[in-house]
Amino acid sequence: MKKEVAKLLRKALKEKGVALKGDEIENLIEIPPNSEMGDYAFPCFSLSEKLKDSPEQIAIELREKIGNEPQTDFEDIQTKGPYLNFFLNRKSFARQTVWYVITWKKDFGKAESGKGKKVIVEFSSPNIAKPFGIGHLRSTIIGNSLANIFEFQGFKVIKINYLGDWGTQFGKLIFGYKKFGSEKKLGKNPIKHLLEIYVKANKKKYEKNAREEFKKLEEGDKKSLMLWRLFRNFSLEDFKKIYKRFGIKFDVYTGESSYNKKARQIIEELKNKGIVKKSKGAFVVDLTKYGLQTAMVEKTDGTTLYATRDLAAAIDRYKEYNFEKMIYEVGQEQQLHFMQFFKILELMGYKWAKNCVHVSHGFYLDKSGKKFATRKGKTILMNDILTETISLAKKEIIKRNKKISKKDLEEKMLKIAIAAIFYGDLKNNRTNNIPFDIKKFISFEGDTGPYIQYSYARAGSILKKAPEQKKFEVRELEEKEIELVKKLSQFPEAVLNAGKNLSPSIIANYSYQLAQIFNEFYHSCKVIGSEQEAFRLALVQSFRQVLKNSLKLLGIETVEKM
Ligand code: ARG
């Protein structure tokens, strides 16, 4: 509806010689604090200077220009001082909105703006031979949601998991396995065993041995490669189990190892283009001119680095996908790395470097406000967190439903646990450091994932009691009804903004507000047995649909009964 307001204004402004774009006008439109001042308001202050007139006078003139437009969307348009206030034709607006949602269902809110364009979203990207820790959780949750949001806008999205599967740590691991490893233990609990080995081998006195082993690996030594592949497979299996429970899928699993050889070619390319220089036996790119630190691309022993492999991977991906945009969802501690690597791409002459974006996030904080990564000195494993959350969810469910079947319980507790963890993250601005507090996240009350799921289930139980759906007619609307209708109509705009700002929190906050307004509506408006029954049932149905669509973008599933 905001669009309709903007349309009217655009035409009127044009007649006054002001050429503003639709979305520029939309940005100026305000939602008045109470509906006596209309449903939308357009303040005229910013035009005053240009039109050399008072905002009050401009409002009057714009009103006159709009005056003769035949239209049915608004009941009234009034000037009030420097404002132009638009009053919706509420009945037709309500009818239209509900009709739209019920017709488009899971596609309500979808856009076509991304049609024909490819976006790469690289996210999660854990390091193999280490357990999936909480350190990669944010990237997994946010990246997944961004991918969903882009897809919903019509983009072709390629989800890439770029594993940390190459580097000196594998020298340590191979050396460690040869010295301390046991085939039996590896078969039994590979990740645990690899972690033990890593801890033992990660000592100063073994540094030289580890470096030698890594060099062998880089040179393609068969035995080393065999061990490496074994470790990689075990890890990947383990990660995939977690993604499966999360309901997250990737289109491509790749990793640093795939770009080891290509990274060598990059060094050649950099040399040919005259971008690198030798410094103490290593090759570096001097970026000080651009206010960045010098970046190393080849070590003194001739091996490549993380940055070199990233260069190779980016170039390779552009060749393969010809992407419109490539997003790297990686923690903010790697900000310098991405700035350097994007700059080098630019210096190499790749114009598309400007379409690569590092979408960063802050870290989780514990109760005392410190970085949340270890517990009693041990890294926190994702599996443990998930198990803990699931058991909390289980308690909550059983409290409400003692007779639930085992199968039902298992399915629900996972969905609720995921909602708790994902929403607990996504409701925050991603760049902030945020508290990680499972007990709060799992609560069925307040600004939490389970609360939103609960609202959905509650709406479902109303519909179950309802008689056969009839055609509805909209009569006089109560305040809470119109609020709910307005919120529903804002979903497409929320999706758009979330994509534009790379910010799933817009969708998360929208979901919460929608659930809240629904609960207020439900408290103040009787549904079944009221005169407005048919319309209100359709409204409840629309609410469920939009909330479901919205949660889906966050990677959260709905539950029919809690
Ligand atoms: N594996 C890396 C880490 O855990 C993250 C990879 C990020 N992606 C990239 N293209 N560099 O720190």
Side-chain angles (χ1 to χ4, degrees), residues 122 125-127 136 162 164 256 306 310 328 330 334 337-338:
E122 190 216 276
S125 308
N127 300 320
H136 290 90
Y162 181 72
E256 290 181 51
Y306 182 53
D310 252 333
Y328 294 87
V330 185
Q334 295 199 25
H337 162 74
F338 282 101

Side-chain angles (χ1 to χ4, degrees), residues 102-135:
I102 291 178
T103 307
W104 289 97
K105 298 200 171 65
K106 67 179 195 334
D107 293 333
F108 176 74
K110 258 194 182 165
E112 305 244 305
S113 48
K115 224 173 165 184
K117 297 176 191 157
K118 278 186 197 148
V119 175
I120 292 184
V121 183
E122 190 216 276
F123 66 105
S124 198
S125 308
N127 300 320
I128 68 161
K130 281 189 193 161
F132 194 104
I134 197 157

